[in-house]
Amino acid sequence: MLSQSKTNMKWGTGVFKSFVFTLLLMNSAQAASDKGYSDSHDFQLHGFISQGIIDVNGSDFVHDHDSLSTELTELGINASYQLNSTFRLAGQLVYLDGGNRYEKGIRVDYALLDWSIYSSDFWQTNIYLGRFKNNHWLNSSSRVIPFARPSIILPQSVYFDGFRDIAVGSDGAAIKISHSDDELGNFDFNLSYGKSPISDKQQKILMGELASGVAKQDHDAQASFYWQPAFSSWRLGLSLLDSDFSYQQSETFDFFSDANFTFQFYTMNALYEGEYWEFSGEIYQQRFITDGFYSPIAHVDNVGRGFYGQTRYKLTSDLTLLARYEDFYLDEDDKDGKLLEASTGVPYYFAFHKDITLGLSYDFTSNLKVRAEYHWVRGAGRLTPVVLPNPRVNSSEDWQMWAVQLMYWF
Amino acid sequence: MRQLHWADDKTITVFVLPNQHELHKHFSKERLQIFPYQLNRIWHKLTYSGLGVAPVVVNSPEALIQAVLKTPGSIGYADEKLLANLVSNTMSNSNNKEKNSGKGVVHVVTIKD
């Protein structure tokens, strides 16, 4: 019991007229009578509801036509059940409606067994089996959560909505190893291996209507490392991704050939969280290798790079302002898109994506928030479909959008 | 703050007040040396990404005290006067005191100005 008490002391010493108090042991009679109360905390149910309006002018990001849209709906419900001190079951269903951004409907966001294989004062190791979330990038695990991500629309060069359902998680296994002490700080190491199904709609979003074959993800391997120095407001991270896809042409008729795709993605990120100011950013490089597809002997190997920097300022405890700049190009040998236009006829501005975002959020209560933002975008490099761009609808290099979203969670 | 289990391997249940509650803000900032919005970011990630279990949020300081009293192996925070009123006078004026009240042992750590 004494060791348990000492643990509590880590929560602090000195200042403020408050108590930390714990109930450490109950006699058998009382424990039995309160067992139901205790057990109720082994099962947890949470969820969120959010609805917004979004207006895009000059691109098919949400619609093929410019008009105010209510296709900004995100709902989720999750449950967690602690089987014992070692095993936990957890799952979440989400419903999304985002127009052209991703497939409309319900999906399993995660459904996993959380196995706590080692836990001590300084170390924790968990293995997640089943469908798990991508926990490797700065906002990859919170991109689904409207009130936890920093903006309604995330930086598309990293958190590309057209790729959302493949990047958001995987079916397989993941391990998280955490270390925490007062000298070196907090370390998190994540490793995951799995794959995601690609729905027909997802395939059309990426490849367009003409690709009548079947695309699938063969594997997705990711690793990441995060470090927060002791008592520091900074957190630094890096991540590595390697993923293979394949495309099998239709047996009847197909414009495209059998293909293998390799996607590699490397990021470095930093996060500073002060009392009023927050700074964050990610720099990244992607490599996309295509063998086949356009023709049986085609070989395309592109390296793209980009970054975004973001700041948030807490004007009051409830009102937060946001500013962000994002700059990304798909091919390091063709940053301005002139080669793309000369070789394919696709307008040059499909080779890059730049976005200036200003926004604000206001917390009405601890679980009711409204967010609003405006985006000035240059380039069509993060519009769908990706493989066969649509310059007829996306006829402008510059386009804008604004959105307002109300969100409630429990 | 990352510890999940007591020394006897039982799970620690943590009770907290809502994010905007003044006691939560003060306790988070002054005692845990972390801003409430940082805790929110961590807890939201745990709760809505399947990675873990966040603290249980209760609506009032009174409910928090009751929840801790009824849940073996739990931890929370409370104002001194309120705790004194709700628990017992003998418990409220001592540092690091264990009290066996017949309903179990409550361990209180007093944090002074």
Side-chain angles (χ1 to χ4, degrees), chain A residues 86 101 125 138 170 245 335 362:
Chain A
T86 304
R101 295 168 59 198
T125 301
L138 203 52
S170 287
F245 299 84
K335 295 177 184 175
Y362 184 80

Side-chain angles (χ1 to χ4, degrees), chain A residues 3 8 11 13-16 19-20 22-25 27 88 124 128 135 141 188 273-275 318 366 410, chain B residues 2 7 20 29 31 37-38 41 45 48-51 69 73 77-78 83 102 104-105 107 109 111-113:
Chain A
S3 61
N8 299 334
W11 283 56
T13 55
V15 195
F16 197 52
F19 282 152
V20 182
T22 68
L23 190 63
L24 300 175
L25 183 67
N27 66 26
R88 185 177 64 92
Q124 285 176 38
Y128 303 94
N135 190 35
S141 63
D188 289 304
E273 292 176 311
E275 184 166 10
D318 303 323
S366 295
F410 60 90
Chain B
R2 288 185 161 205
Q20 291 187 326
K29 188 176 163 184
R31 306 311 328 137
Y37 81 90
Q38 291 177 284
R41 175 179 62 76
K45 187 172 175 177
Y48 297 91
S49 299
L51 289 172
L69 287 173
Y77 50 77
L83 183 63
V105 177
H107 186 87
V109 178
I111 300 172
K112 296 179 179 176
D113 286 320

